[in-house]
Amino acid sequence: LAQLFRPLDLLGMVYRTIRQGAIDMGAMFDLIDTPSEITDALGAAPLAVTRGAVRFEGVQFGYDPDRAILKGIDLNIPAGQTVAVVGPSGAGKSTLARLLYRFYDVTGGRITIDGQDIAQVTQTSLRGAIGIVPQDTVLFNDTIGYNIAYGREGATDAEVAAAARGAAIASFIQSLSDGFDTRVGERGLKLSGGEKQRVAIARTLVKNPPILILDEATSALDSRTESEILDTLEAIERGRTTIVIAHRLSTVVHADRIVVLEAGRVAEQGTHAELLAANGVYAEMWARQQAEREEALAVGE
Ligand code: ATP
């Protein structure tokens, strides 16, 4: 499965390499943040989120100077709305999300949050405002409570418990003999893919960010777990500006708007119904995926 954030792959790698006892997560994020050329602009001010409106204005980007990946993206995500980004593999969907989190700087155009250029605000404030629910969550060899509380320094037990309820994992935790004190991770209780994703959702609820990035490709989960997780995700999207990076179309039908990326450009955008009616790239992708689904079902019978 393609992952949303390669830097999170790196996190996994770093984690596996140095997973001894207590790990200072702040230090781990520093490991990811520091090798890149991303630095705070001189006199950078903290981001002031008023509503959480996100705009991509003529954004251009390439990992290598001789190969453009995003070729002028204009995208307006009104505060509180959910926009799903779909498109063929390699179109640049995850790259969009990485730029918003400022893992990289754009090479042309700009990205703003409530009118502020994200390259001109402090990275700490930017990243504090954005929550990420990745496909594959790395759990620390610590308690499940710690793993949830990690979302925000100083989170109280009551906040952790509320987040667990919001992520629909509270009753599972209560069923464990040590409850929130149960150790998880490689040296503790192994959680399923769906349970891990719920921990990630709870962690994000503790963080309570105005802006969310969801990697909604859930093919690692069985379809019942997937639809339960989708319900939970829909609940946490409410009231937040959300970008869903979707590798499968079945998960994006509810989005306020669907943006189809193709070869680094916005090919189409609209609601599911509008895009089907337009009979373009999206309609074609949808028809293909439905056919594949039916084929898979037939094989399964
Ligand atoms: P998928 O659905 O397969 O995950 P995607 O639309 O999310 O695809 P991106 O991950 O944004 O695609 O990648 C866009 C292009 O950028 C691809 O051609 C990919 O090879 C390239 N790319 C991605 N990450 C890097 C990197 N760290 N260095 C160089 N090239 C990269």
Side-chain angles (χ1 to χ4, degrees):
L1 263 193
Q3 274 202 327
L4 171 54
F5 288 104
R6 299 247 151 76
L8 289 184
D9 288 343
L10 173 67
L11 173 61
M13 193 190 79
V14 170
Y15 174 63
R16 280 185 288 277
T17 320
I18 59 169
R19 69 181 129 86
Q20 75 287 38
I23 297 168
D24 179 350
M25 277 307 295
M28 279 178 59
F29 279 109
D30 284 345
L31 278 179
I32 293 164
D33 293 347
T34 44
S36 74
E37 60 284 3
I38 306 298
T39 49
D40 280 356
L42 216 61
L47 172 72
V49 181
T50 48
R51 307 181 59 239
V54 175
R55 282 179 82 104
F56 285 69
E57 299 173 7
V59 168
Q60 298 177 13
F61 177 74
Y63 294 92
D64 306 306
D66 52 355
R67 186 170 162 239
I69 302 291
L70 299 180
K71 302 167 186 166
I73 301 285
D74 291 305
L75 207 56
N76 184 11
I77 311 175
Q81 288 211 356
T82 294
V83 167
V85 182
V86 303
S89 182
K93 305 181 292 291
S94 305
T95 302
L96 272 187
R98 289 185 200 123
L99 293 177
L100 177 59
Y101 204 68
R102 211 175 159 221
F103 276 127
Y104 302 92
D105 272 328
V106 299
T107 47
R110 61 177 201 154
I111 302 172
T112 64
I113 295 175
D114 290 333
Q116 300 146 85
D117 186 338
I118 63 164
Q120 301 300 326
V121 301
T122 62
Q123 290 171 78
T124 316
S125 64
L126 174 69
R127 291 174 186 182
I130 302 174
I132 300 172
V133 180
Q135 281 181 49
D136 289 313
T137 302
V138 180
L139 292 183
F140 310 110
N141 279 319
D142 206 302
T143 65
I144 197 162
Y146 173 88
N147 271 280
I148 295 173
Y150 175 70
R152 185 171 42 81
E153 228 176 293
T156 64
D157 288 351
E159 286 167 334
V160 169
R165 284 194 297 277
I169 197 177
S171 54
F172 167 77
I173 295 174
Q174 270 150 19
S175 76
L176 304 170
S177 54
D178 288 330
F180 282 93
D181 294 328
T182 306
R183 292 190 78 84
V184 293
E186 288 184 26
R187 281 186 281 145
L189 181 70
K190 305 268 186 298
L191 299 185
S192 73
E195 288 155 0
K196 277 201 274 189
Q197 203 159 24
R198 289 191 185 285
V199 172
I201 294 169
R203 194 183 274 172
T204 305
L205 285 172
V206 162
K207 185 170 179 177
N208 195 20
I211 298 165
L212 262 187
I213 297 173
L214 303 181
D215 192 351
E216 223 179 27
T218 46
S219 45
L221 308 174
D222 63 67
S223 53
R224 191 170 138 242
T225 311
E226 179 188 331
S227 71
E228 285 170 5
I229 296 256
L230 285 175
D231 290 344
T232 313
L233 286 175
E234 275 185 51
I236 74 164
E237 285 168 28
R238 256 168 243 139
R240 301 175 211 271
T241 311
T242 306
I243 298 184
V244 180
I245 306 296
H247 306 268
R248 298 201 290 163
L249 303 187
S250 51
T251 59
V252 303
V253 176
H254 74 278
D256 293 307
R257 192 148 42 99
I258 299 166
V259 172
V260 185
L261 266 198
E262 209 178 29
R265 294 182 203 279
V266 175
E268 296 179 310
Q269 52 180 309
T271 62
H272 176 72
E274 285 165 1
L275 290 174
L276 284 188
N279 218 3
V281 193
Y282 181 85
E284 203 179 294
M285 287 169 64
W286 178 258
R288 202 178 329 122
Q289 241 177 54
Q290 292 302 101
E292 278 167 16
R293 243 181 137 87
E294 274 156 33
E295 212 169 286
L297 281 176
V299 171
E301 272 164 10

